[in-house]
Amino acid sequence: MRPISVLMTVYNGEKYVMEAIQSILNQTFQDFELIIIDDASTDRTVNLIRGILDERISLHTLPRNMGVGYANNYAVQLASGKYIAKMDADDISHPERLATQFEFLEKNAQVGIVDSFVNFFTESGSVKKSQRFKDYKDIYSSQINKYYDSKTLSKELFWFCNIVHSAVMYRRGLTKFFSYPLDMKICEDYSFFYRMNDKGIIFHKMPFFLLSVRLSENSITATKTEEMLINIFKIKENDISTFIRINEKPIAIWGASNLGKLTCNYIRNNFNVQPMIFIDSNIKKEDRRQLQNIDIVNPNEIEFNEFKIFVASSYGKFQIAEELEQKGLKNIKDYFVVF
């Protein structure tokens, strides 16, 4: 039995899969198995992988496309290592990644799962010019590539996915209690982490760049944003229900963009509760307008302790949460970060 099982799932990945595999084979830590699950690719992916002569590689092909959750669970069942490392089929692991994470988990028995800083890159000129790439490089990168103590990492993991799936290594024993959902083709990793976090599993983020994440025209998060948000509501459903019913205060939604709109619809449709107001720092009193037939107000116009507040601002959540806590409001009790 090798100490590390590296798991990779792939679907029609002929363009980049060889580079991803090579980044694993070139690791300074060489004692691993690489389990690859092909999810019924229709391109040259399988033939390319079969051409690699390395006894550590184990390729398994699914007879039909089953989805990433099924493929991940299948890979986990085949793993025999003490630790599991995830790897996406279009990313690049830095040479010292496995060695660094293995050594850390060996020395820190209290930690269940570890990831690292990641670098976002693209080889596409159109992606490089896109707002999405700019947001990843300038905003999301700064949100995840920062020092976290375990308490803050856990708190913010309930807010958004601050763990990068392709950068994680975790103890295989955890898979006795946690698996990937089969009904999600996106956010299945966040569901996996969210439930671990909810049960008190300790996460750690290594302050080193150990992975490069490729952004391409076909990146799933670029084309399925609304499906992603729907799945996030599903992941947080029990906690949202508890927050709504925690007291009788009316609901305010801080964020009047698409996320705020979706949050409003979700609360109405699933809990039969009508939010009272939207909050938007950019709105002026004289410019009063509505969203979903609900008034949008400036935060200076309200008494925050009179409301339960859903924070529905992907990029502004940190500043909003900080402002709310400065006013004495508490995470989960008084405000709930949607994403």
Side-chain angles (χ1 to χ4, degrees), residues 14-205:
E14 65 177 8
K15 190 172 183 179
Y16 302 119
V17 68
M18 296 296 284
E19 188 175 4
I21 291 173
Q22 201 60 50
S23 76
I24 295 297
L25 299 181
N26 290 341
Q27 292 290 301
T28 58
F29 188 102
Q30 287 283 299
D31 193 9
F32 60 83
E33 61 176 350
L34 173 56
I35 299 171
I36 304 175
I37 309 298
D38 178 79
D39 198 9
S41 291
T42 58
D43 63 2
R44 297 187 304 133
T45 295
V46 170
N47 288 337
L48 289 172
I49 297 172
R50 283 176 176 163
I52 304 174
L53 301 179
D54 193 306
E55 53 89 19
R56 294 171 297 178
I57 296 177
S58 174
L59 173 64
H60 304 264
T61 58
L62 300 180
R64 60 186 177 88
N65 187 264
M66 300 295 292
V68 67
Y70 181 93
N72 276 322
N73 286 331
Y74 185 42
V76 166
Q77 292 172 11
L78 297 170
S80 61
K82 180 179 180 181
Y83 302 112
I84 289 176
K86 273 295 300 172
M87 180 64 189
D88 283 356
D90 52 1
D91 295 340
I92 300 173
S93 283
H94 299 191
E96 68 281 5
R97 175 194 165 185
L98 295 184
T100 303
Q101 293 180 321
F102 174 81
E103 182 179 359
F104 180 86
L105 288 175
E106 285 284 277
K107 293 180 178 179
N108 295 272
Q110 78 281 7
V111 176
I113 182 167
V114 61
D115 85 331
S116 71
F117 287 5
V118 302
N119 173 59
F120 296 101
F121 76 103
T122 184
E123 296 160 345
S124 165
S126 60
V127 171
K128 189 172 292 186
K129 295 175 183 177
S130 69
Q131 184 61 45
R132 182 174 64 91
F133 185 71
K134 180 177 175 59
D135 288 345
Y136 266 84
K137 292 289 286 186
D138 297 345
I139 301 176
Y140 183 56
S141 180
S142 66
Q143 292 177 353
I144 62 171
N145 292 334
K146 63 181 183 180
Y147 170 75
Y148 277 103
D149 60 74
S150 60
K151 183 177 180 181
T152 304
L153 181 61
S154 174
K155 174 183 177 181
E156 293 187 6
L157 184 51
F158 284 121
W159 296 0
F160 76 115
C161 195
N162 55 11
I163 301 295
V164 178
H165 195 210
S166 190
V168 299
M169 182 181 288
Y170 56 91
R171 300 181 189 278
R172 185 166 62 92
L174 293 174
T175 62
K176 295 178 182 178
F177 310 101
F178 304 98
S179 61
Y180 295 90
L182 299 179
D183 60 344
M184 294 183 185
K185 292 186 177 181
I186 184 171
C187 295
E188 80 291 336
D189 54 341
Y190 187 36
S191 176
F192 188 60
F193 301 146
Y194 195 92
R195 286 178 288 114
M196 282 188 183
N197 192 39
D198 188 51
K199 295 300 182 181
I201 303 302
I202 296 177
F203 288 70
H204 180 81
K205 185 177 289 288

Side-chain angles (χ1 to χ4, degrees), residues 295-311:
D295 285 342
I296 307 173
V297 304
N298 187 280
N300 294 325
E301 299 178 52
I302 66 170
E303 293 293 333
F304 288 103
N305 58 9
E306 295 179 359
F307 295 91
K308 291 179 293 192
I309 300 172
F310 279 96
V311 178

